[in-house]
Amino acid sequence: MKALVKRRWRRAGRAEADRTETFLKDYEYYCVTACAKFLNRQSAKDHVWHLTDQEGTVSALLLHYGRALLPVFGKTGDIPLPHFMKNFLGRIPIHAVQGLLKDAAILENAMENLGYQAKDRRTYDLMALDKAPAQSGSGEFPPGLILRRPEFTDMDALFPLQAGYEQEEVLPKGAEFNAALCRLTLSRILSNEQALIACMDGRVVGKINTNAAAFSRTQIGGVYVLPEYRGRGIAGCMTTRFAGELIAQGRGITLFVKKENVPARAAYQKAGFSAVADYRISYYQ
């Protein structure tokens, strides 16, 4: 009889960085956020755990970044409960679990067994694009629409869009909008991310930006058009132009969109994006 291969969770240190990276690269297509967090981790604050066998082969990862847990469980079906979870969750508050639906569900069940109850759960279509977007994705270019790079002088004009995006798409149920934090997020986007804005009638009416960069893929998000300008194809124009620029840089593109957001899903599909998996974000605090 073949002996069972014993697996256990281990904290991944600097010596295991190469193994961690190799494992994540195999699943980058489905976990751009986790890969980006790994590449930007701060060892004093963030944690990475491996599920390994006796020979050190990695079959699953769990990343802690900020107040979020990001599971990357690969093809592993039977995930043993990490022995450290109870003590860890007792010391460090967790705000969110984020990852593929199948992975997030495993972690959610483990957390429920430890007394954690999600306050809000959102399921998305994870979509991907790996070639130049279909030019038909933008439809007819709306008269008077100008697409350009944002500048810091656009901060005040962009704030209502970032605020609207966070309130409609980001904040979990019952959470209060924080204007100061929103401005800090917008400043970080303008400083560190690639972005494109849409202008019409002398005002900024739409925005799109990157929000994570992994090994070979970039994730886009923050797509928002002022309510009074929706239905004119602006989001499709922004997505097609922006995605085309990223593809020209040699990057694959990922995004996730709420399943109930039919107009957005249609716009992304017209641009050439395909749904590749179900994605989940669950909020706890």
Side-chain angles (χ1 to χ4, degrees):
M1 178 181 292
K2 186 177 180 180
L4 292 175
V5 177
K6 293 183 179 180
R7 299 174 299 162
R8 69 183 183 93
W9 287 96
R10 298 176 174 88
R11 176 78 178 271
R14 292 182 179 179
E16 290 79 31
D18 289 344
R19 279 191 293 162
T20 304
E21 185 170 316
T22 297
F23 176 84
L24 284 172
K25 282 182 176 178
D26 286 341
Y27 296 99
E28 179 188 12
Y29 195 78
Y30 302 100
C31 63
V32 171
T33 299
C35 292
K37 298 303 185 187
F38 170 75
L39 290 172
N40 293 284
R41 69 195 182 284
Q42 300 176 22
S43 58
K45 297 181 180 180
D46 307 319
H47 305 77
V48 181
W49 296 278
H50 290 143
L51 179 64
T52 60
D53 60 22
Q54 291 172 308
E55 296 184 356
T57 301
V58 178
S59 57
L61 283 177
L62 180 60
L63 294 91
H64 164 249
Y65 186 92
R67 296 174 62 192
L69 288 174
L70 295 92
V72 184
F73 293 159
K75 297 179 181 179
T76 303
D78 180 23
I79 300 290
L81 175 66
H83 62 85
F84 55 82
M85 283 288 285
K86 185 175 182 179
N87 289 334
F88 180 79
L89 293 175
R91 292 184 294 107
I92 299 178
I94 296 301
H95 174 69
V97 167
Q98 177 176 344
L100 288 179
L101 176 59
K102 68 177 185 65
D103 296 346
I106 293 171
L107 188 55
E108 288 168 11
N109 289 336
M111 292 178 67
E112 285 182 6
N113 290 335
L114 295 173
Y116 266 67
Q117 294 294 326
K119 293 184 177 180
D120 191 11
R121 287 190 175 100
R122 298 179 182 180
T123 304
Y124 303 81
D125 273 342
L126 182 67
M127 307 187 80
L129 180 68
D130 291 276
K131 60 182 180 180
Q135 292 303 311
S136 60
S138 60
E140 183 179 350
F141 205 81
L145 179 66
I146 298 173
L147 302 179
R148 64 172 176 84
R149 295 293 184 188
E151 301 176 355
F152 267 97
T153 53
D154 295 308
M155 174 73 78
D156 289 341
L158 280 168
F159 177 74
L161 284 81
Q162 182 65 25
Y165 170 73
E166 292 185 7
Q167 291 175 83
E168 290 184 27
E169 301 292 335
V170 178
L171 292 179
K173 295 176 182 177
E176 293 185 4
F177 171 70
N178 186 321
L181 184 58
C182 178
R183 283 193 174 274
L184 285 174
T185 300
L186 182 56
S187 178
R188 182 193 61 77
I189 291 171
L190 293 174
S191 298
N192 303 323
E193 302 289 352
Q194 298 184 61
L196 192 70
I197 61 176
C199 302
M200 186 178 283
D201 301 330
R203 60 188 299 205
V204 178
V205 301
K207 61 177 282 291
I208 185 173
N209 56 264
T210 60
N211 58 25
F215 305 103
S216 63
R217 306 191 68 80
T218 297
Q219 187 166 278
I220 64 175
V223 185
Y224 189 81
V225 175
L226 292 174
E228 61 268 34
Y229 284 86
R230 294 173 185 173
R232 306 188 192 186
I234 295 173
C237 288
M238 289 194 303
T239 301
T240 300
R241 174 76 64 82
F242 196 55
E245 293 173 355
L246 293 171
I247 290 291
Q249 296 171 18
R251 307 290 292 180
I253 308 174
T254 298
L255 61 83
F256 49 87
V257 57
K258 289 179 182 177
K259 287 185 173 291
E260 64 269 24
N261 192 342
V262 177
R265 290 170 63 201
Y268 297 141
Q269 288 171 342
K270 283 185 178 181
F273 283 86
S274 299
V276 296
D278 290 330
Y279 199 81
R280 166 73 66 80
I281 303 179
S282 295
Y283 297 94
Y284 288 85
Q285 299 288 341

